[in-house]
Amino acid sequence: MNFKQLETFVWVATLGSFRKAAKKLYTSQPAVSSRIIALEESLGVELFTRHAGKFELTTKGVELLPYAQKMLVMADNFKAKACEAESLSGILRLGVSETIVHTWLSDFLQQVHKNFPHVDIELTVDVTANMRNELINRSLDLAFLMGPISEFSIQNINLCSYPLVWVCSHELDLPQGVVPISKILSKTVMTYARNTRPFSEVQALTKEEDVDIARLFPSTSLAACKRMALDGLGVGMLPWELVAEEIESGQLREIESTWQASDLVFTASYPREPFNPLAEKIAELAAMVSHVYKDR
């Protein structure tokens, strides 16, 4: 007998459905059935009677259900106690997209030091594809990335979204007003790395528009892309927050176009198991900090 089996028993009995219990527990219906069978075998009793495609609690199942429920409540209390900020300590392996580095990361780290004084952050800046793999293989405890991650083993908490804009030097030869996307694509385009959604969108666009792009310059460094745009080497497709000061100061020109990329949507993502109260609490703090930053 183990905790997962007890938890599954309670949810099947509460929801009255193996399918609904599977959805609630982020697993498959066969896995739920397997856990119930294993629990019954370990206890040596039947918990459910099954006939004509339906099932109901046995007399023994009704008798045992309150005990299982109490055990789940105790487990939740145990987790809550473990999650108290003053008791959390250790190292959190955090992965961060560069867009976050240029926006609210410093504010977030200050809040971590204030609220979790015994926690140290081990920071990695990387692209989403790499961080997704590292979360799944447990090389990272938490990541702020372009999400959500569609993987049942990963929990996602919404953070923020940022629009992407076209920018260039005022010296670059592009017409005023709304610029046809074909004109923009005739220049060198600097943007996110190859294994990212923004790059894929631009690459797909060139095929749809059937245009010969002068050069598509993907980079893992958004700072480098901005620098090249400032130097007049081409057009940057970058987050507005990253180039807002340069646009306002007149160093860069924001280009209106007939096509805009999708907004960047970020999540704080972490493995559901093993349970890590530190990752959960700091993900919640990140959500708060990111929303405060956007509301400024």
Side-chain angles (χ1 to χ4, degrees):
M1 181 179 69
N2 59 43
F3 180 80
K4 276 191 175 297
Q5 293 167 359
L6 287 174
E7 182 182 40
T8 302
F9 166 53
V10 169
W11 281 114
V12 170
T14 301
L15 298 174
S17 165
F18 278 59
R19 179 182 57 80
K20 290 179 180 178
K23 186 176 180 180
K24 172 68 179 178
L25 297 170
Y26 300 97
T27 189
S28 64
Q29 192 166 328
V32 167
S33 298
S34 177
R35 290 176 192 173
I36 294 297
I37 291 170
L39 180 59
E40 289 177 326
E41 289 177 350
S42 68
L43 295 174
V45 298
E46 273 197 344
L47 299 171
F48 297 96
T49 56
R50 304 164 181 81
H51 52 83
K54 297 181 180 180
F55 68 93
E56 59 183 16
L57 282 168
T58 63
T59 301
K60 181 58 71 172
V62 172
E63 181 184 346
L64 292 177
L65 181 59
Y67 292 94
Q69 291 171 328
K70 287 177 183 177
M71 292 176 75
L72 294 192
V73 170
M74 289 299 293
D76 286 340
N77 291 340
F78 178 83
K79 285 185 177 181
K81 191 67 178 176
C83 287
E84 290 179 356
E86 61 270 18
S87 67
L88 293 176
S89 63
I91 296 174
L92 182 85
R93 299 168 299 173
L94 174 65
V96 180
S97 292
E98 192 188 355
T99 306
I100 305 301
V101 174
H102 291 291
T103 50
W104 48 267
L105 181 64
S106 294
D107 293 348
F108 163 74
L109 291 175
Q110 288 176 4
Q111 288 300 315
V112 170
H113 294 321
K114 177 182 176 181
N115 290 279
F116 303 94
H118 305 298
V119 172
D120 292 320
I121 300 291
E122 187 177 285
L123 188 66
T124 300
V125 179
D126 208 339
V127 296
T128 290
N130 293 341
M131 290 190 287
R132 177 188 181 280
N133 293 335
E134 289 174 359
L135 283 174
I136 291 172
N137 66 31
R138 306 301 191 269
S139 299
L140 285 176
D141 301 309
L142 173 66
F144 304 154
L145 42 67
M146 282 185 260
I149 295 179
S150 301
E151 178 76 30
F152 77 93
S153 63
I154 301 297
Q155 176 70 41
N156 300 289
I157 294 179
N158 292 332
L159 293 178
C160 51
S161 61
Y162 296 121
L164 287 168
V165 295
W166 296 106
V167 292
C168 70
S169 164
H170 288 277
E171 306 302 318
L172 201 66
D173 181 25
L174 281 174
Q176 297 298 315
V178 178
V179 180
I181 191 61
S182 57
K183 287 282 188 183
I184 292 176
L185 295 178
S186 69
K187 307 296 183 183
T188 298
V189 173
M190 291 88 68
T191 192
Y192 285 75
R194 288 187 181 277
N195 51 346
T196 63
R197 183 168 55 81
F199 176 87
S200 298
E201 285 191 8
V202 175
Q203 192 175 50
L205 179 66
T206 63
K207 296 175 182 177
E208 291 173 11
E209 294 288 323
D210 193 25
V211 296
D212 293 326
I213 191 167
R215 180 177 297 170
L216 190 54
F217 193 97
S219 175
T220 56
S221 172
L222 298 181
C225 291
K226 180 168 74 170
R227 182 70 261 169
M228 287 186 286
L230 286 165
D231 291 340
L233 298 179
V235 180
M237 190 179 80
L238 299 168
W240 185 86
E241 279 77 4
L242 178 63
V243 293
E245 288 185 14
E246 287 78 10
I247 292 171
E248 291 170 6
S249 67
Q251 294 175 274
L252 285 174
R253 167 192 167 194
E254 182 178 354
I255 307 167
E256 289 187 67
S257 176
T258 54
W259 181 89
Q260 292 294 134
S262 303
D263 288 357
L264 302 177
V265 178
F266 289 91
T267 61
S269 303
Y270 57 92
R272 297 180 188 277
E273 295 180 348
F275 173 63
N276 186 341
L278 188 54
E280 183 176 74
K281 284 295 182 183
I282 290 186
E284 292 170 356
L285 177 63
M288 183 197 72
V289 172
S290 69
H291 294 152
V292 169
Y293 181 89
K294 285 289 286 183
D295 291 341
R296 286 178 180 175

